[in-house]
Amino acid sequence: MEASTSNSSSAIRSWRTTFLTLRDEVQTSPTATTVIDLLNRFIFAQSETLIAAAPNLPVHEVTSDAMFLVELARTISNSRGDDDALNALVQLSNLFQNFNHLISFKMTSSTWGLVLRTFGGMVEMFLGSAGIRQDPSGNIAVTEATKQCLEIVRSLVDVNQRTIILSDNVQLLDFLLKTVSFSQNVLAPCFSSGIQGCAPESRKMILRRNSLWEIQTTAFTMISEILSRVGTSLPADHWQSTVDAFRNIIDVLASKGLLVESNVMDRFYTSLLHCLHLVLVNAKGSLQDHVAGFVAALRMFIGYGLTSKSQNVLPAGVYKKDAKISTLNSHSSESSSAPYRPPHVRKKNQKGTQSKDSNSLSILDCPPATIDYMSSDSDLSDSDGSAKGISNYRSSKVRVAAIVCIQDLCRSDPKLFTAQWTILLPSSDVLQARRYEANLMTCLLFDPYLKARIAAAFTLATMLEGPASVFLQVAEYKESTKLGSFTALSSSLGQILMQLHTGILHLIKNEKNNGFLTSLFKILALLISCTPYSRMPDELLPTVILNLHGRMVEGFLTYNDQTGLLAVALSCLMDALSVSPSSLKVNEMLVAELSTGSNNNKACSGLLSTLFHYSRPFTSPAVSLEALQVLKAVAHNYPDIMVLCWKQVSSIICEFLDPLLPEGSSRAGTVNSGQTVGTIGEKVITSAIKLLDECLRAICGFKGTEDLSDDKLLSSPFTYDYVKVKMISSAPSYGLENQLVASDDHPACATGSQQWCEAIEKHLSSTLFHSSAMMRAASVTCFAGITSSVFVSLPEDKQHQIITYSINAAFDDEVPSVRSAACRAIGVIACFPQVFKSVEILCKFINAAEVNSHHSLVSVRIAASWALANLCDSLRHFVDRFTSTGSSGDLMDCSRMVSLLIDCSLRLTRDGDKIKANAVRALGNLSRFVPCSSHGHGMQEYNTSFHIDTEHAGKSPNHVSAETERCLVSTSFLQRTWEDSRWLERMVQAFLSCVTTGNVKVRWNVCHALSNLFLNETLKLQDTDWAPSVFSILLLLLRDSSNFKIRIQAAAALAAPATTLDYGESYSDVVQGVEHTLENLGTDQMFAPSSFKYRVALEKQLTSTMLHLLGLASVTHRHHSVHDFLIKKASFLEEWLRSLCLSLVNQFEAEHDSTWYQKKEVINRAIQSLVKVYESQNHQAMAQRFEKLVNKLV
């Protein structure tokens, strides 16, 4: 004991004497050579004594002296000296390593900077020209010294990680990146010779090269730890320099064309790719310049470890378990060479594997970070199986890490990543395993390790999300025999989509792992949503549906997973049956099944039979819910078959509503308990009611709210032949050829009446009063899908029930969703001619909508405002039909309703945009018929002024009065009781306000409302102060709006005034504005991409408006500026009218329809008007040229 104490005291004295003497010697700033001599004399000569003394000294003293040695090492490294300097640094690194093992150094920011700068210089000496020059064949001591530097730094980080600040991490990152760079420079020639297989390498060179790879592995592992600590706090410039460094390393690896495969390289690639993953997920800038380069290099790793003949590529559904590597090897001579493992260990491993196999959770439901591709090698220790199995496992980690990096790149910029589709996905022979041309699908199909397939599934799902749904719409499939030497992008994408379908369907058919199978279903759902099936082979969509049906019929391995997998498969099937436009092949397939008869008690006879089977109450709630939604998709997309299977649908709904079942249970209690039972039961029954709703709409031929307006804007022969079909999301799809479409004289209408009576009696009579608000709302929504032809064919008691149910729900139900549904139903029913014959019903409807327009919830106010707009249109038709035989009470009720609607609509124009748009539409419908003057102005006075106007317009008074007599008579009755003289100014002010504050839909409705206002027969537009402002706004929208629909409606509104007197002083501005827009339409680039499809409609409306304005030009004598403008634009007008005449002649020869004579008359009137203008201005030559155009029409 005393001897030991004496030795330690002696060592301490020796330590302190040595460092005091050394400090005294270096006070005069000696040269590097002197420092080396001093170190040799005082430090290296007694290094063992110093190492023994370190544990017995205070930590701060050892730290101070160690930092003193670090400063001396910095002096030597800065000198870039000879071999002596290199040897001195090697000995210092060894000494530091020993100190580090004995002492836990406490670091500060200043000491961190000193250590990193010094070690950086040492690494540069070790791996730079000096280190290589000493022994080009491979100096193990130099590389070991480099490894020691990294280990020391890593140990210091572990001890001081709580006190390390961001600036310290940044310095550490720079040090590590420089270390990697120096190591890469040394490895470049070695790597090249190793790849090319030139001269055989000595064992010493191989060891040195492996040591250099291990240095980089350690460095990348430390970089990963830094990135994990700092995350997104890393400064952008340092992040960018890190990305550039990784790009250089990746490019070097990719430039060799082939990856070296070995255990050392497995670890290196894994650490490199994991580090790259952390760089990409913590992006601090754009990766635009690096995506293509990274993807090209990362693709090489997808087949890493699989290119050798010894590594088998397994077919779909068979893979090697990462957690059970020992079973990868045969139980022959290879397995016998493995170390012995006790039975209890083997049994434990088997249990762990079985529990993992039975896992049925969807892989895609987990975040990407849960893929444990960076698990330590302890997961598979060297004693667990043969070396071959271990190597295969480590190579699989490389593949997983590379695929995750590809996913990171896709997430960083999905739109930019779309350019990499052709690189990462196959365009042919997807089911052929390619050893040297690996892509994501080869990994998904053939990789022997499940984790690699999981990573590929994640990445493929990421690629199919986001912008891909838009990007892939250009895809178009062409047979390979039709492809020339150049393949267009659309064709390439079409080929890729075909291969994706083939591969995914093959996997779904053969995959045995339930968790992975769930993920495949979800990938297929994404693929279906992205694929433009109308541009693909006709058989593709039916093939998808039949494969899904076949997999459902085949069943799944474990009973516990039946419910989850069936639900996911049904969800995927719903996506396939919801594809728009509908597939004629699918329709034929469904009709063929129904024509041969279906047995809904069997789940294997046909698709519809399977759906009916799974949607019944005895199945699991999750499965039943999904099956009902699939049937709803069938009813929506293929409505013609609903007449044929109405009995099955009605039977299923009756089973759900069976009074013998406890309310809300709906057999959900077999798999659930507690509060969840009622919730699931409500959802399932609500889904059944929604199926009923969709079936009734399909059978009735519902196409949306019925338009009652006799809109004069559509009477133009030029816009009549281009009526764009408006898609109503709540209406079934009637887009197939030879498909049944319900109409007034179609048998489906009579059938629809029968189904509606059955639905009201058997189904809705109970659900409308159910305690569940969800079910009540779904039930009331059914009334919003009835058509007027079916409604009028119902018995009066059923009509009364529908109206009463809707009104009561709107007034009395306290749940907002039910009120909203009731308002929607009222808005639909209000458009039926049978309804607006009754003042009483209209009053109740209007009161219900007005009350709900005050509701606090936006969704209710939106539905109420929509109903109010429809009711305003219905009220106009009621007024039009009002005659002198009507009671004075009805007249007063009508007047009160109009006043209520005006006040309510004006109030709603100050609400949100969705409500504001409906409010403006309501005001537009009212402005069409509400008197613009009070009852003090008689009808005779208006008739007198009207006849004067028609004389100005050159029209026959008898012709016009016959057209408007009904409107004048009905409006005169309303004028008797109308007292509000300020409604017009308030309405116009609301329009002008909405134009400046509303969104696109609001502005469109303002233009439409102004069109209706201009068509009001009682409006004296020339006497208003606001007319010039309104015309100016319409011209501004026509010229500057980027939305073509707004421009179309603005042009239509500008054509609504019948005479130049109505245009007033704005006539000249309107003519010039419309002509300018028409002339520059071909060069106008100011439009939203979504508006491009309306370009033809805009051109036709501008043509109609321009012809209308030109037809009025000859009857005005006050607008000399118009005549001057028409003379100035004579050349354009002549060319434009010539093209119209030519198109009219061609139309006569090709397809002579009813609008041909109307078009001829309008064009002829415009040309004749121009001839009169030019003759009145003494431009006879111009007049003669336009006379020739008239002759062409003859």
Side-chain angles (χ1 to χ4, degrees):
M1 184 70 180
E2 293 179 359
S4 176
T5 304
S6 175
N7 291 335
S8 62
S9 299
S10 176
I12 291 173
R13 285 195 301 270
S14 177
W15 173 288
R16 289 172 175 170
T17 301
T18 299
F19 278 98
L20 285 173
T21 304
L22 186 59
R23 289 178 187 273
D24 291 338
E25 292 291 338
V26 300
Q27 286 182 356
T28 58
S29 301
T31 62
T33 304
T34 304
V35 171
I36 294 172
D37 291 338
L38 292 173
L39 289 174
N40 286 327
R41 279 192 294 150
F42 295 107
I43 301 298
F44 301 148
Q46 50 180 339
S47 58
E48 294 183 1
T49 303
L50 297 176
I51 294 171
N56 301 315
L57 288 164
V59 174
H60 69 275
E61 183 177 350
V62 178
T63 302
S64 176
D65 292 337
M67 291 302 108
F68 172 63
L69 291 179
V70 170
E71 291 178 354
L72 297 180
R74 183 184 179 189
T75 302
I76 299 173
S77 63
N78 289 339
S79 67
R80 301 295 186 264
D82 52 11
D83 295 343
D84 292 336
L86 189 64
N87 291 330
L89 292 177
V90 170
Q91 293 183 71
L92 278 175
S93 66
N94 185 49
L95 185 63
F96 292 151
Q97 176 78 324
N98 284 289
F99 287 163
N100 187 60
H101 286 161
L102 300 172
I103 300 297
S104 297
F105 293 105
K106 301 299 181 182
M107 306 293 290
T108 63
S109 294
S110 59
T111 55
W112 265 122
L114 174 63
V115 169
L116 292 177
R117 287 191 297 270
T118 301
F119 280 20
M122 293 171 64
V123 170
E124 185 175 1
M125 285 280 288
F126 295 152
L127 301 181
S129 58
I132 297 175
R133 183 176 65 247
Q134 190 186 66
D135 190 355
S137 64
N139 189 338
I140 300 301
V142 170
T143 54
E144 286 300 318
T146 306
K147 293 171 65 176
Q148 288 176 348
C149 290
L150 289 177
E151 291 171 3
I152 293 169
V153 172
R154 189 173 190 181
S155 176
L156 292 175
V157 171
D158 292 339
V159 173
N160 298 275
Q161 57 181 338
R162 292 187 177 180
T163 59
I164 295 178
I165 61 177
L166 180 61
S167 60
D168 299 334
N169 281 308
V170 170
Q171 291 184 72
L172 179 58
L173 179 62
D174 292 338
F175 162 72
L176 294 171
L177 290 176
K178 289 179 181 178
T179 302
V180 171
S181 177
F182 293 140
S183 179
Q184 281 287 319
N185 293 336
V186 177
L187 277 169
C190 302
F191 185 56
S192 178
S193 64
I195 291 293
Q196 297 170 3
C198 296
E201 295 179 316
S202 65
R203 179 174 179 81
K204 190 174 182 180
M205 290 184 64
I206 293 174
L207 291 175
R208 174 176 166 81
R209 188 183 64 184
N210 288 343
S211 295
L212 290 170
W213 288 121
E214 290 172 359
I215 288 172
Q216 292 190 72
T217 301
T218 304
F220 284 127
T221 303
M222 294 176 66
I223 294 174
S224 298
E225 294 169 355
I226 295 173
L227 295 174
S228 299
R229 285 195 300 270
V230 301
T232 56
S233 300
L234 187 69
D237 56 338
H238 284 80
W239 176 86
Q240 189 62 53
S241 63
T242 306
V243 172
D244 295 338
F246 274 92
R247 175 65 187 278
N248 294 332
I249 297 169
I250 291 289
D251 286 346
V252 170
L253 295 175
S255 65
K256 306 305 176 184
L258 187 64
L259 298 173
V260 179
E261 297 180 6
S262 67
N263 292 338
V264 174
M265 298 307 295
D266 289 346
R267 289 189 289 269
F268 166 71
Y269 291 141
T270 304
S271 62
L272 167 67
L273 295 173
H274 177 56
C275 194
L276 177 61
H277 160 69
L278 294 176
V279 171
L280 296 176
V281 297
N282 294 301
K284 296 296 291 292
S286 174
L287 292 167
Q288 180 176 357
D289 298 331
H290 301 286
V291 171
F294 278 138
V295 170
L298 291 170
R299 184 193 174 190
M300 299 173 58
F301 290 96
I302 297 178
Y304 179 80
L306 300 177
T307 56
S308 61
K309 295 182 180 179
S310 61
Q311 175 71 299
N312 293 327
V313 179
L314 301 183
V318 181
Y319 48 84
K320 302 181 181 181
K321 298 292 190 295
D322 293 348
K324 194 178 177 183
I325 299 296
S326 61
T327 62
L328 295 174
N329 308 291
S330 61
H331 297 283
S332 58
S333 60
E334 291 187 1
S335 61
S336 63
S337 64
Y340 171 77
R341 289 188 297 162
H344 69 278
V345 175
R346 295 197 296 268
K347 185 176 181 181
K348 182 179 180 181
N349 290 344
Q350 291 174 0
K351 288 182 177 180
T353 304
Q354 290 172 0
S355 63
K356 189 171 183 177
D357 291 346
S358 62
N359 180 19
S360 63
L361 292 177
S362 170
I363 297 163
L364 291 184
D365 288 338
C366 306
T370 59
I371 302 179
D372 186 19
Y373 64 87
M374 281 301 296
S375 56
S376 65
D377 290 341
S378 62
D379 293 345
L380 183 67
S381 64
D382 293 342
S383 63
D384 293 341
S386 68
K388 177 183 173 182
I390 298 170
S391 176
N392 292 343
Y393 169 68
R394 287 173 176 165
S395 65
S396 71
K397 292 169 66 177
V398 176
R399 297 195 297 275
V400 171
I403 294 172
V404 169
C405 287
I406 294 174
Q407 181 186 349
D408 297 332
L409 289 169
C410 182
R411 290 185 183 278
S412 65
D413 193 339
K415 187 175 182 180
L416 179 65
F417 194 82
T418 54
Q420 310 304 317
W421 274 61
T422 55
I423 299 175
L424 293 170
L425 298 173
S427 58
S428 62
D429 301 327
V430 67
L431 298 181
Q432 298 296 322
R434 307 177 185 186
R435 292 182 181 274
Y436 298 101
E437 296 181 7
N439 52 58
L440 288 176
M441 284 304 297
T442 59
C443 179
L444 196 65
L445 284 160
F446 303 111
D447 198 289
Y449 289 89
L450 181 60
K451 283 187 178 180
R453 292 186 176 184
I454 293 173
F458 267 118
T459 304
L460 185 57
T462 303
M463 293 173 64
L464 289 170
E465 293 172 344
S469 59
V470 178
F471 164 70
L472 289 173
Q473 296 310 303
V474 302
E476 182 179 15
Y477 179 77
K478 292 183 179 179
E479 296 290 345
S480 57
T481 55
K482 297 180 180 180
L483 297 175
S485 57
F486 171 76
T487 304
L489 176 62
S490 59
S491 300
S492 297
L493 294 176
Q495 297 284 345
I496 289 174
L497 287 177
M498 280 296 296
Q499 297 305 311
L500 289 178
H501 278 83
T502 302
I504 298 299
L505 292 177
H506 176 79
L507 280 168
I508 288 176
K509 182 179 180 181
N510 295 281
E511 183 58 45
K512 305 303 180 184
N513 182 279
N514 290 338
F516 191 52
L517 182 58
T518 303
S519 301
L520 292 173
F521 280 129
K522 293 187 177 182
I523 291 175
L524 180 59
L526 289 171
L527 182 60
I528 291 171
S529 66
C530 293
T531 303
Y533 286 97
S534 60
R535 299 165 63 91
M536 303 297 287
D538 294 337
E539 297 78 13
L540 181 58
L541 186 58
T543 301
V544 172
I545 294 172
L546 290 175
N547 274 269
L548 286 170
H549 176 239
R551 192 66 176 91
M552 292 165 53
V553 172
E554 179 184 343
F556 307 98
L557 290 178
T558 58
Y559 177 79
N560 292 336
D561 290 329
Q562 285 282 349
T563 297
L565 288 171
L566 269 176
V568 176
L570 286 167
S571 177
C572 194
L573 186 60
M574 181 184 67
D575 293 332
L577 289 167
S578 301
V579 168
S580 181
S582 306
S583 168
L584 184 60
K585 291 285 186 181
V586 174
N587 189 74
E588 292 172 352
M589 179 181 71
L590 297 175
V591 172
E593 178 185 346
L594 291 172
S595 63
T596 57
S598 61
N599 185 355
N600 53 29
N601 292 321
K602 296 181 180 180
C604 57
S605 55
L607 175 63
L608 291 174
S609 298
T610 301
L611 295 176
F612 291 140
H613 172 81
Y614 285 127
S615 61
R616 293 190 176 276
F618 56 77
T619 58
S620 167
V623 174
S624 179
L625 182 65
E626 293 292 342
L628 290 169
Q629 291 177 350
V630 178
L631 286 173
K632 182 174 177 287
V634 173
H636 184 88
N637 248 21
Y638 304 94
D640 57 326
I641 70 169
M642 284 298 105
V643 177
L644 304 177
C645 57
W646 165 256
K647 291 183 179 179
Q648 293 93 325
V649 173
S650 180
S651 173
I652 291 172
I653 297 172
C654 283
E655 290 181 19
F656 281 107
L657 302 178
D658 190 343
L660 297 179
L661 288 175
E663 181 182 310
S665 64
S666 179
R667 86 277 178 251
T670 59
V671 292
N672 296 281
S673 60
Q675 186 64 28
T676 311
V677 175
T679 303
I680 293 181
E682 288 179 11
K683 289 182 179 179
V684 175
I685 298 178
T686 301
S687 184
I689 298 172
K690 290 181 179 180
L691 171 61
L692 172 66
D693 181 16
E694 197 68 44
C695 288
L696 291 173
R697 293 175 188 238
I699 293 171
C700 295
F702 177 77
K703 296 182 180 180
T705 308
E706 299 180 20
D707 189 7
L708 301 173
S709 62
D710 50 350
D711 199 342
K712 294 182 180 180
L713 303 178
L714 299 178
S715 63
S716 170
F718 291 93
T719 56
Y720 177 82
D721 60 350
Y722 191 82
V723 178
K724 192 164 184 67
V725 178
K726 184 178 181 181
M727 300 300 295
I728 306 295
S729 60
S730 61
S733 173
Y734 299 98
L736 296 177
E737 297 178 4
N738 303 323
Q739 187 169 327
L740 299 176
V741 178
S743 58
D744 291 343
D745 55 352
H746 197 279
C749 290
T751 308
S753 176
Q754 298 172 8
Q755 273 86 7
W756 261 103
C757 289
E758 181 179 348
I760 293 174
E761 293 173 358
K762 291 185 178 181
H763 313 313
L764 298 179
S765 58
S766 60
T767 59
L768 284 166
F769 304 100
H770 199 277
S771 59
S772 168
M774 190 186 306
M775 293 169 58
R776 295 200 306 275
S779 302
V780 176
T781 302
C782 293
F783 298 144
I786 195 170
T787 60
S788 61
S789 56
V790 172
F791 184 83
V792 71
S793 65
L794 294 176
E796 289 189 6
D797 61 324
K798 295 295 186 292
Q799 295 182 21
H800 178 72
Q801 279 182 287
I802 292 175
I803 294 173
T804 302
Y805 287 153
S806 302
I807 293 174
N808 290 342
F811 273 116
D812 302 331
D813 205 298
E814 297 180 356
V815 179
S817 60
V818 181
R819 283 179 170 257
S820 178
C823 290
R824 195 79 185 175
I826 288 173
V828 171
I829 301 171
C831 298
F832 297 166
Q834 300 81 13
V835 173
F836 53 71
K837 293 178 181 178
S838 169
V839 178
E840 181 184 1
I841 295 177
L842 273 179
C843 285
K844 290 181 179 180
F845 277 177
I846 291 173
N847 288 330
E850 196 276 336
V851 167
N852 284 280
S853 71
H854 295 273
H855 201 278
S856 59
L857 205 63
V858 174
S859 60
V860 179
R861 297 203 304 277
I862 291 175
S865 62
W866 181 81
L868 281 171
N870 292 353
L871 286 165
C872 290
D873 201 23
S874 297
L875 189 60
R876 177 171 70 87
H877 286 77
F878 172 80
V879 172
D880 287 347
R881 286 165 173 76
F882 191 87
T883 63
S884 58
T885 58
S887 65
S888 59
D890 289 347
L891 185 61
M892 295 299 297
D893 288 339
C894 179
S895 180
R896 284 194 295 269
M897 285 189 291
V898 170
S899 180
L900 177 64
L901 288 171
I902 290 177
D903 292 339
C904 181
S905 299
L906 287 172
R907 172 175 51 83
L908 293 177
T909 57
R910 298 187 295 272
D911 211 317
D913 280 342
K914 290 185 177 180
I915 301 169
K916 188 182 298 184
N918 289 323
V920 170
R921 184 166 66 91
L923 291 174
N925 290 333
L926 291 171
S927 66
R928 183 74 176 269
F929 71 94
V930 175
C932 295
S933 57
S934 63
H935 58 278
H937 299 279
M939 178 181 174
Q940 183 63 38
E941 176 185 350
Y942 175 79
N943 279 341
T944 303
S945 64
F946 183 79
H947 286 301
I948 295 176
D949 288 347
T950 57
E951 291 171 6
H952 278 288
K955 295 182 181 179
S956 169
N958 293 331
H959 171 74
V960 177
S961 62
E963 181 181 343
T964 60
E965 180 179 2
R966 178 176 54 84
C967 181
L968 292 175
V969 171
S970 60
T971 304
S972 65
F973 287 112
L974 187 59
Q975 280 182 308
R976 297 175 186 174
T977 58
W978 191 248
E979 298 179 353
D980 187 358
S981 59
R982 293 190 62 254
W983 75 271
L984 183 59
E985 287 74 14
R986 294 163 59 202
M987 184 182 297
V988 172
Q989 186 61 39
F991 289 159
L992 298 180
S993 175
C994 289
V995 164
T996 57
T997 62
N999 60 9
V1000 170
K1001 189 173 182 180
V1002 173
R1003 293 197 294 272
W1004 183 92
N1005 276 288
V1006 169
C1007 294
H1008 190 272
L1010 290 173
S1011 301
N1012 280 330
L1013 178 60
F1014 293 161
L1015 294 173
N1016 190 316
E1017 305 292 350
T1018 65
L1019 174 65
K1020 297 181 180 180
L1021 195 58
Q1022 68 276 13
D1023 295 337
T1024 61
D1025 298 332
W1026 45 261
S1029 300
V1030 168
F1031 284 121
S1032 297
I1033 287 180
L1034 289 173
L1035 287 172
L1036 187 66
L1037 293 173
L1038 178 64
R1039 185 191 65 189
D1040 296 338
S1041 178
S1042 61
N1043 186 282
F1044 278 11
K1045 294 177 69 175
I1046 292 179
R1047 299 174 75 176
I1048 291 169
Q1049 201 58 47
L1054 290 171
T1059 67
T1060 56
L1061 187 61
D1062 292 330
Y1063 287 102
E1065 297 298 327
S1066 300
Y1067 178 68
S1068 176
D1069 295 334
V1070 172
V1071 171
Q1072 295 183 46
V1074 173
E1075 189 281 335
H1076 175 79
T1077 304
L1078 183 63
E1079 185 177 3
N1080 295 278
L1081 184 61
T1083 59
D1084 186 6
Q1085 300 297 323
M1086 187 189 64
F1087 59 85
S1090 59
S1091 297
F1092 186 77
K1093 57 187 176 182
Y1094 300 102
R1095 188 185 185 92
V1096 176
L1098 175 59
E1099 184 176 359
K1100 290 181 176 293
Q1101 183 58 63
L1102 282 172
T1103 298
S1104 178
T1105 302
M1106 193 68 212
L1107 290 173
H1108 169 72
L1109 293 170
L1110 293 177
L1112 301 177
S1114 62
V1115 299
T1116 179
H1117 302 289
R1118 297 181 300 167
H1119 302 285
H1120 298 289
S1121 58
V1122 174
H1123 294 171
D1124 295 338
F1125 176 77
L1126 294 176
I1127 294 172
K1128 179 181 178 181
K1129 292 293 182 179
S1131 299
F1132 166 75
L1133 293 173
E1134 181 183 1
E1135 187 64 29
W1136 175 65
L1137 288 169
R1138 181 181 289 108
S1139 64
L1140 285 179
C1141 294
L1142 181 62
S1143 64
L1144 196 62
V1145 172
N1146 294 336
Q1147 180 186 352
F1148 180 82
E1149 296 175 352
E1151 184 180 354
H1152 185 59
D1153 59 15
S1154 59
T1155 64
W1156 188 88
Y1157 288 105
Q1158 298 177 30
K1159 290 180 180 179
K1160 177 184 176 182
E1161 181 182 355
V1162 173
I1163 295 174
N1164 185 65
R1165 185 185 307 122
I1167 296 175
Q1168 293 289 1
S1169 178
L1170 286 173
V1171 170
K1172 293 180 180 179
V1173 169
Y1174 295 142
E1175 288 178 346
S1176 66
Q1177 300 297 318
N1178 296 321
H1179 288 273
Q1180 300 299 329
M1182 289 184 183
Q1184 292 175 3
R1185 292 204 305 270
F1186 280 85
E1187 283 284 1
K1188 293 180 181 179
L1189 295 177
V1190 176
N1191 296 333
K1192 287 186 177 182
L1193 287 177
V1194 178

